[in-house]
Amino acid sequence: MAQKPSIPKGTRDFSPLEVEKRTYIIEIIKQQFKLFGFQPIETPSFENSDTLMGKYGEEGDRLIFKILNSGDYLSKVDDALYTAKDSVKMTSKISEKALRYDLTVPFARYVVQHQNEIDFPFKRYQIQPVWRADRPQKGRFREFYQCDADVVGSNSLLQEVEFIQLYDRVFRQLGLDGVTIKMNNRKILSGIAEVIGASDKLIDFTVALDKLDKIGEAGVKKEMMEKGISETAIQKVQPLFNFEGTNDEKIAQLKELLQDSEEGSAGVEELAYITSFIQTMPLTTATLTLDVTLARGLNYYTGAIFEVAAPDTVKMGSIGGGGRYDDLTGIFGLKNISGVGVSFGLDRIYLVLEELGLFPQTVTATSKALFINFGDKESLYALQTIERLRAEGITVELYPDSAKMKKQMGYADKRSIPFVILAGTKEIEGENFTVKNMQSGVQETLNFSELKAILTQ
């Protein structure tokens, strides 16, 4: 007996309705990207390994899916290396390519490779799948789509302002209220580490601080001390553990805390600039809040850092994020090209909309009507009508076989097709149609204009 087929953990098949719902989200995001002046690009699903490796930190490198070389991939591995069974050293010998981990690094590679064809500042959007060898769990998959928008070639903080507005507009169009846009700045994190005398432990400090909402104040302090950060240094950042108030009040606290750090003070000024613009042009759906514990993407973010949280009523991780990177293209030889970008987490946004029941009833993978097949003569009449309806943008179809009526009706019912159209000899002679509403059971005889009207309601 043949073994039942399966798919890898962390991947999914999508039903027609699921694809329609995903397409609904993508189209809204894409529409807003275009409205803000972003242009589309696409990059390959896999890159050369050296393009990706070393760009996401040690943990990120471990999550990159490597692709085995074609042919005899062990031919370049000498006996000593093979016997040592050192997978890290062996990987470079047997794998020269890898599935992309995100869209940002491939975009940086694209900018460098096509720099002579690009007009700066370059605003691009990209909606494609990425792959991570992560542990699958709710809202976390090994294959998922990212919807990214970036601007490179501009140092203006107005770009950050626009990205906050972009988030707000997208979630407003999706009907998702209660979203929180968290914002921090890498310069502030560096400044804090500087004033407490722990600049050499910036990553350890921020990684621990980032866990405040998960392990609490005591847990964070314990982890910091385990990483070699002194108790005196930790006491200096005590205000961060109770960092509350309005954005203006938080900025005032940070100014005082970081007054002796030039870099930290610069970060505070950047946050103040961005929030001042947002205050004069208030968001309609989302809430902007300063969060000094936010420390995502420290390996390449150099300025503002964003993370978008779903409404409190939904237990879900971040549904978007991004930040400013002053020299990401520098890793590929193009120096001093500043950029800033954000990403929308399509799969998590889908789960949030599904849980909150926010998909419109008009999002469907089914036809508006099914014509019953009574035979060749009747099918010709049906197909001629179908062609006219499709020309009007109405989704209709003909059952392909002249099967029993019960079977055809059952097919329409299972597909949740709202109307069934019967056109036999009597209807053909009268140039009309018998239309059955599958929900109410009501039948009526209509001419073409009346049929078109009922199908466009």
Side-chain angles (χ1 to χ4, degrees):
M1 184 177 178
Q3 185 177 354
K4 187 178 180 180
S6 62
I7 59 175
K9 288 183 179 180
T11 63
R12 298 150 294 163
D13 289 322
F14 297 107
S15 69
L17 182 56
E18 288 171 330
V19 171
E20 287 292 337
K21 288 179 175 180
R22 289 165 64 85
T23 301
Y24 163 76
I25 298 171
I26 289 171
E27 288 304 314
I28 284 179
I29 294 173
K30 189 184 295 185
Q31 180 188 40
Q32 296 305 317
F33 282 167
K34 290 181 177 179
L35 193 64
F36 278 69
F38 294 92
Q39 299 175 289
I41 69 163
E42 292 188 356
T43 59
S45 59
F46 58 95
E47 298 271 353
N48 292 325
S49 294
D50 56 9
T51 298
L52 304 178
M53 297 299 289
K55 312 304 189 300
Y56 307 103
E58 188 177 333
E59 182 181 357
D61 283 353
R62 288 199 303 269
L63 300 181
I64 292 174
F65 274 110
K66 284 81 175 179
I67 301 173
L68 287 175
N69 294 339
S70 55
D72 185 5
Y73 56 84
L74 285 175
S75 61
K76 294 182 180 180
V77 181
D78 59 48
D79 291 343
L81 184 56
Y82 185 80
T83 303
K85 296 183 179 180
D86 188 330
S87 60
V88 175
K89 291 182 179 178
M90 192 184 295
T91 298
S92 62
K93 301 290 185 182
I94 65 175
S95 173
E96 297 170 354
K97 301 175 185 67
L99 294 176
R100 62 174 172 240
Y101 176 89
D102 72 353
L103 299 179
T104 305
V105 171
F107 172 54
R109 189 267 309 153
Y110 176 94
V111 171
V112 174
Q113 198 168 339
H114 299 274
Q115 58 185 289
N116 295 326
E117 308 154 29
I118 291 173
D119 296 316
F120 293 101
F122 180 46
K123 302 176 72 171
R124 87 78 167 89
Y125 76 83
Q126 195 170 349
I127 303 175
Q128 289 185 279
V130 299
W131 295 266
R132 296 182 185 180
D134 214 343
R135 184 171 65 85
Q137 53 186 291
K138 182 183 178 182
R140 189 184 295 274
F141 307 100
R142 288 176 173 172
E143 179 186 61
F144 57 97
Y145 267 73
Q146 283 189 339
C147 307
D148 283 14
D150 289 79
V151 183
V152 291
S154 171
N155 294 311
S156 173
L157 294 174
L158 292 178
Q159 305 293 352
E160 278 85 338
V161 173
E162 280 217 311
F163 277 121
I164 293 169
Q165 293 175 320
L166 173 64
Y167 270 135
D168 186 52
R169 286 187 64 90
V170 167
F171 293 121
R172 183 175 69 198
Q173 293 297 315
L174 291 171
L176 184 56
D177 294 325
V179 165
T180 301
I181 303 171
K182 301 177 183 179
M183 181 173 64
N184 196 11
N185 195 296
R186 166 63 187 260
K187 295 183 178 75
I188 286 175
L189 293 169
S190 298
I192 293 170
E194 179 187 341
V195 297
I196 67 172
S199 294
D200 60 328
K201 296 188 178 295
L202 172 63
I203 300 297
D204 291 333
F205 168 76
T206 52
V207 167
L209 189 62
D210 196 35
K211 298 176 183 177
L212 182 61
D213 61 338
K214 298 184 182 73
I215 62 177
E217 180 179 337
V220 170
K221 289 180 176 178
K222 181 173 179 288
E223 183 170 327
M224 285 182 177
M225 292 183 72
E226 289 173 350
K227 294 294 184 179
I229 299 172
S230 70
E231 191 171 346
T232 302
I234 294 172
Q235 288 175 353
K236 289 181 180 179
V237 293
Q238 182 61 41
L240 300 183
F241 296 112
N242 302 289
F243 195 64
E244 298 176 348
T246 66
N247 288 337
D248 285 343
E249 289 169 344
K250 290 176 180 178
I251 287 172
Q253 291 178 57
L254 288 172
K255 280 184 177 179
E256 184 176 349
L257 179 65
L258 298 172
Q259 58 185 326
D260 295 328
S261 169
E262 184 178 345
E263 185 176 12
S265 296
V268 175
E269 290 305 314
E270 290 181 12
L271 287 188
Y273 182 90
I274 296 167
T275 56
S276 68
F277 270 84
I278 297 301
Q279 285 171 353
T280 58
M281 297 178 290
L283 305 181
T284 59
T285 298
T287 299
L288 178 67
T289 183
L290 303 187
D291 184 351
V292 291
T293 68
L294 182 60
R296 59 180 291 136
L298 283 180
N299 287 83
Y300 50 81
Y301 291 138
T302 54
I305 307 169
F306 299 108
E307 186 168 282
V308 183
D312 294 337
T313 54
V314 182
K315 299 297 181 185
M316 182 65 66
S318 65
I319 58 175
R324 163 76 62 172
Y325 42 87
D326 279 342
D327 196 25
L328 186 62
T329 55
I331 57 180
F332 299 120
L334 184 60
K335 298 290 185 181
N336 303 318
I337 297 292
S338 182
V340 58
V342 297
S343 181
F344 290 83
L346 170 64
D347 296 288
R348 290 188 176 185
I349 292 172
Y350 179 105
L351 292 174
V352 171
L353 295 184
E354 187 83 338
E355 186 170 332
L356 297 177
L358 293 176
F359 283 108
Q361 291 185 346
T362 52
V363 178
T364 173
T366 195
S367 297
K368 289 285 288 184
L370 175 73
F371 279 78
I372 297 297
N373 189 328
F374 290 110
D376 288 345
K377 180 183 176 183
E378 293 83 359
S379 294
L380 177 60
Y381 179 71
L383 286 172
Q384 289 171 332
T385 307
I386 286 170
E387 187 173 356
R388 293 173 68 187
L389 290 170
R390 287 175 177 167
E392 300 286 341
I394 302 170
T395 307
V396 289
E397 57 186 285
L398 170 69
Y399 193 84
D401 305 304
S402 56
K404 291 182 179 180
M405 176 78 75
K406 183 178 180 181
K407 183 176 181 179
Q408 297 189 52
M409 287 287 191
Y411 177 78
D413 190 47
K414 289 177 182 177
R415 290 268 314 277
S416 299
I417 296 176
F419 296 100
V420 164
I421 301 172
L422 301 90
T425 303
K426 179 182 175 182
E427 285 81 10
I428 294 173
E429 290 175 353
E431 295 186 0
N432 51 38
F433 311 88
T434 298
V435 181
K436 180 176 182 178
N437 184 313
M438 292 297 286
Q439 187 171 6
S440 67
V442 173
Q443 282 192 188
E444 52 187 333
T445 300
L446 306 173
N447 61 32
F448 179 80
S449 295
E450 292 168 334
L451 173 64
K452 185 178 78 171
I454 201 171
L455 295 181
T456 52
Q457 289 179 352

